[in-house]
Amino acid sequence: MAMNDSVNILNSAYLAVEYIDSFLPDNPLQQPFKNAWNYMLDNYTKFQIATWGSLLVHEVSYFLLCVPGFIFQFIPYMQKYKIQQDKPETWEKQWKCFKTLLFNHFFIQLPLICGTYYFTEYFNIPYGWEEMPRWYILVGQCFGCAVIEDAWHYFLHRLLHHKRIYKYIHKVHHEFVSPFGMQAEYAHPLETLILGAGFFIGIVVFCNHVVLLWAWVICRLMETIDVHSGYDVPLNPLHLVPFYAGARFHDFHHMNFIGNYASTFTWWDRLFGTDSQFIAYQEKEKKKQCITKK
């Protein structure tokens, strides 16, 4: 009975969004995107699209999304939004991070990406324009992937903090007490595999077109680079996402090496009480601000 009610609610929500979408003006970028997509299909094989296309989407998205945070360090005005103001970024740390990233991207992640074509073939995932899901379906699927990945990340990340395991794997990621955007994927190769596995679970559950692979890559990178940015910038559109954790939430984890284990949302930490120290810290900070204002 409860299952039927849930299905009915989802169907109603889908019909409501579809009805609203019918009144929206045509997207001016749709036709150019369609032309580019069909050009890609006509000139490249599925293997090339799945492999080199996925690599290109990942690399371009990753480093482009890192640019704002990288530029912030040179703008005095933005320093008031830096969470750990006493720990500025250094060229030495950023160069070390960049070299490790290149190794992880091309020797750990690229071999995994090479399996994308075989994954899409095994599950008969289409590439064509006609089968591409509407924007609201894609948004819903990405949100579903985020919920699944967040659960995986919480429990496995918390396990990696166990005193018998931490120093062998996860300690690498915590070399930077004050994180910066590019450091989001700075990790031990085993951590890249262990925590990265959560990324693929949602794909297995929801994927009905290759475009979801790329959309989910961009969404996941946008989130992880934001929470590692070290800056709590106002009017951040990601804060509109319900229960979104954000940079200040994850920055506390890097400062204290404990609590706030989830990647995207706050509900797992709230449920298990692993955000208690963060909440206490926030209350202290608020009291300090009130005293300062007086």
Side-chain angles (χ1 to χ4, degrees):
M1 187 69 179
M3 180 65 72
N4 290 334
D5 290 340
S6 299
V7 171
N8 290 333
I9 291 170
L10 289 173
N11 286 337
S12 298
Y14 173 80
L15 291 173
V17 174
E18 198 171 44
Y19 178 75
I20 294 170
D21 182 59
S22 66
F23 290 97
L24 295 176
D26 292 336
N27 184 352
L29 298 177
Q30 182 172 338
Q31 191 59 44
F33 181 61
K34 179 180 179 180
N35 294 338
W37 189 271
N38 285 329
Y39 177 85
M40 177 184 72
L41 293 177
D42 293 339
N43 290 275
Y44 298 96
T45 65
K46 284 186 176 181
F47 179 81
Q48 290 172 325
I49 293 169
T51 305
W52 304 117
S54 297
L55 178 66
L56 186 65
V57 168
H58 181 271
E59 295 305 303
V60 171
S61 299
Y62 191 89
F63 289 106
L64 277 181
L65 290 167
C66 287
V67 168
F70 179 78
I71 294 174
F72 288 167
Q73 65 184 308
F74 304 111
I75 304 175
Y77 176 80
M78 295 304 297
Q79 296 313 301
K80 65 181 179 181
Y81 300 121
K82 184 168 173 57
I83 300 166
Q84 299 186 55
Q85 297 187 9
D86 60 330
K87 297 181 178 69
E89 295 89 348
T90 65
W91 286 108
E92 181 183 1
K93 289 180 179 179
Q94 290 175 99
W95 176 241
K96 180 183 180 181
C97 178
F98 181 72
K99 289 188 293 183
T100 302
L101 280 179
L102 290 183
F103 176 83
N104 284 349
H105 284 185
F106 290 97
F107 291 95
I108 306 297
Q109 295 182 13
L110 179 57
L112 295 175
I113 290 173
C114 287
T116 304
Y117 166 74
Y118 303 99
F119 170 82
T120 59
E121 287 296 291
Y122 182 81
F123 288 102
N124 294 316
I125 295 170
Y127 288 62
W129 176 263
E130 292 75 18
E131 297 91 348
M132 189 175 293
R134 298 297 300 271
W135 66 269
Y136 47 87
I137 299 294
L138 206 56
V139 169
Q141 289 173 328
C142 285
F143 185 78
C145 287
V147 171
I148 293 171
E149 190 281 333
D150 185 68
W152 175 272
H153 192 100
Y154 176 85
F155 292 104
L156 272 295
H157 182 196
R158 188 172 177 180
L159 178 64
L160 289 177
H161 271 270
H162 191 280
K163 60 183 179 180
R164 294 185 179 179
I165 303 173
Y166 175 78
K167 64 181 179 179
Y168 299 108
I169 302 175
H170 193 52
K171 186 177 179 180
V172 174
H173 184 67
H174 277 281
E175 285 181 21
F176 302 105
V177 178
S178 178
F180 48 91
M182 190 168 59
Q183 188 244 337
E185 290 187 344
Y186 180 88
H188 189 285
L190 278 177
E191 178 173 339
T192 300
L193 294 173
I194 293 168
L195 295 186
F199 172 89
F200 297 99
I201 300 173
I203 294 296
V204 172
V205 174
F206 293 108
C207 197
N208 59 352
H209 196 280
V210 73
V211 75
L212 176 63
L213 289 167
W214 296 351
W216 172 221
V217 164
I218 294 170
C219 288
R220 178 70 179 110
L221 291 180
M222 192 182 303
E223 175 275 325
T224 191
I225 290 170
D226 176 60
V227 301
H228 284 92
S229 67
Y231 290 85
D232 188 16
V233 181
L235 302 179
N236 185 338
L238 287 175
H239 291 164
L240 297 174
V241 178
F243 303 101
Y244 181 66
R248 196 168 290 277
F249 186 86
H250 192 69
D251 207 278
F252 179 85
H253 175 77
H254 276 264
M255 277 194 288
N256 298 276
F257 305 97
I258 191 170
N260 295 9
Y261 297 112
S263 59
T264 307
F265 305 107
T266 57
W267 50 59
W268 287 112
D269 285 287
R270 182 60 55 87
L271 179 64
F272 290 102
T274 46
D275 64 346
S276 58
Q277 292 191 29
F278 174 65
I279 293 171
Y281 171 78
Q282 282 187 311
E283 290 175 353
K284 287 181 181 179
E285 289 297 304
K286 287 178 181 177
K287 288 179 181 178
K288 285 181 182 179
Q289 290 175 4
C290 290
I291 293 171
T292 304
K293 288 178 180 179
K294 289 178 180 179

